[in-house]
Amino acid sequence: MADRDGDGAVRPLTLAWVGRHLDGGERVVRTEALHGGITAEMRRVTVARRDGGTRDLVLRTLVDVEHAEDWLNRERGALALLAGSGVPAPGLVAVDHRAVHCEYPSLLMTHLAGRTVLDDEGVEARVPLLARELVAIHAVRPAPAERPPGYVTLSTADTVVTPKDADTAAWAAAVDVIRRPAPPYEARFLHRDFHPGNVLFDVPPSDPAALRITGVVDWAAASWGPADLDVAHCCTNLALLHGPAWGLRLAEVYEEAGGVLAAAAGERLYWQVRDALSFSEEVHQVSLPWRGAGRTELTPRIVEQRLDAYVTALMDAPD
């Protein structure tokens, strides 16, 4: 039987659904909650194989999430598209995006080795790897019928929340930037939520130089849109996790790795500012999993201050 204790428990209908997608003679022997997500319940599902060994799957369940069907459809399409692409994404096992069989919309996928790394130590080695992985993602060329839906930006100039004691002149100028129409762009395949919390690393303790990315997870926001937006999102996360300088650095490293951003500085600034300002509405929510992962110093106030410093740096950057 599955381990039904604590928050690792899988609901009965969902557990039965998982069982129907196992190979002959396999059975679920353990379930364990995975922490770090914001919108989904994530569980590792350990399966006993016929040969006496085990293998792990990952179960994503969306409980009371308004866009659950859309998100799981995006993830299903992205995982199918990425199979064999060279991008280290999970393999799709099954999806019940309308909760026909499960208590809530759910997706079952393969488990990838590695772990997230959010510490300041070693960030200089990880940033180039993140940039190169983004270049690889944006190089995926799906056929028109396989493209994910277009990107969505829910924040607007009128929903921006200026942090306490922020540089109000810089923020007012930034808000004016995103009042403009979006600049033209050549659309690419986007992860749309690419940041260190969604990247798995293998970190050999005996050889730190052998650091490598083993997985990119959480494809529920996969989209078709400007590469600048994916890069900008990772830039903002790095600025809040490690300081504004790292947010500014990622865009440079992305281009050094062969990535192509908007040619005009003003167009790049639009996407950078749009993403940064969107964080102003959810600083408390964004910082929760970071503190849960050990970055206890990243209080909402500290993250607000870093966001202010990053927005100010963007607005002060030369054209």
Side-chain angles (χ1 to χ4, degrees):
M1 293 180 62
D3 177 1
R4 302 281 302 171
D5 296 329
D7 59 3
V10 176
R11 296 171 182 88
L13 292 178
T14 305
L15 187 62
W17 174 76
V18 169
R20 292 196 291 274
H21 292 282
L22 302 180
D23 295 336
E26 292 187 330
R27 61 189 178 88
V28 174
V29 293
R30 175 176 165 77
T31 62
E32 173 190 0
L34 300 174
H35 301 285
I38 295 176
T39 58
E41 293 179 358
M42 303 294 296
R43 295 180 176 87
R44 184 203 308 262
V45 179
T46 301
V47 177
R49 303 194 310 248
R50 293 182 63 182
D51 62 5
T54 62
R55 66 185 179 107
D56 288 333
L57 301 173
V58 173
L59 174 68
R60 178 196 294 280
T61 301
L62 300 183
V63 178
D64 298 328
V65 175
E66 181 181 359
H67 303 289
E69 182 175 344
D70 174 53
W71 289 359
L72 291 186
N73 270 329
R74 286 175 185 258
E75 186 153 31
R76 171 175 60 181
L79 297 186
L81 175 66
L82 292 167
S85 70
V87 175
L92 177 66
V93 177
V95 63
D96 182 14
H97 60 287
R98 294 179 178 167
V100 174
H101 306 287
C102 305
E103 285 85 351
Y104 297 98
S106 301
L107 184 142
L108 188 65
M109 64 193 118
T110 59
H111 177 268
L112 299 177
R115 62 182 178 89
T116 56
V117 184
L118 305 180
D119 298 333
D120 285 335
E121 182 181 0
V123 63
E124 66 280 354
R126 297 193 301 273
V127 165
L129 297 182
L130 293 171
R132 289 198 289 271
E133 199 60 57
L134 267 176
V135 171
I137 291 168
H138 299 158
V140 174
R141 295 290 185 267
E146 297 176 324
R147 291 173 183 170
Y151 75 93
V152 175
T153 55
L154 299 178
S155 59
T156 70
D158 296 323
T159 58
V160 171
V161 180
T162 303
K164 180 182 178 182
D165 301 325
D167 184 331
T168 54
W171 278 73
V175 169
D176 284 342
V177 168
I178 67 169
R179 289 191 190 280
R180 306 169 193 163
Y185 59 86
E186 183 177 355
R188 292 281 186 269
F189 175 71
L190 309 181
H191 181 283
R192 194 59 184 92
D193 193 22
F194 186 91
H195 62 79
N198 281 333
V199 178
L200 305 177
F201 287 90
D202 176 39
V203 190
S206 59
D207 185 10
L211 176 76
R212 65 188 181 94
I213 290 176
T214 57
V216 180
V217 299
D218 194 355
W219 294 86
S223 305
W224 189 247
D228 284 79
L229 190 54
D230 246 5
V231 174
H233 190 65
C234 192
C235 286
T236 307
N237 276 275
L238 288 172
L240 303 187
L241 271 169
H242 307 299
W246 288 109
L248 299 172
R249 178 65 180 140
L250 177 72
E252 299 172 359
V253 179
Y254 175 81
E255 289 189 294
E256 292 169 2
V260 178
L261 296 174
E267 294 178 354
R268 296 187 190 195
L269 181 65
Y270 175 89
W271 300 111
Q272 290 171 318
V273 168
R274 171 165 283 288
D275 186 81
L277 294 185
S278 71
F279 276 71
S280 73
E281 303 171 41
E282 52 184 15
V283 164
H284 293 258
Q285 187 179 31
V286 166
S287 58
L288 273 173
W290 296 343
R291 291 195 297 279
R295 295 295 305 274
T296 55
E297 80 281 11
L298 293 179
T299 64
R301 182 63 184 140
I302 293 296
V303 175
E304 279 185 346
Q305 291 172 342
R306 288 189 174 183
L307 180 60
D308 176 39
Y310 179 56
V311 169
T312 301
L314 289 175
M315 299 310 298
D316 288 344
D319 291 341

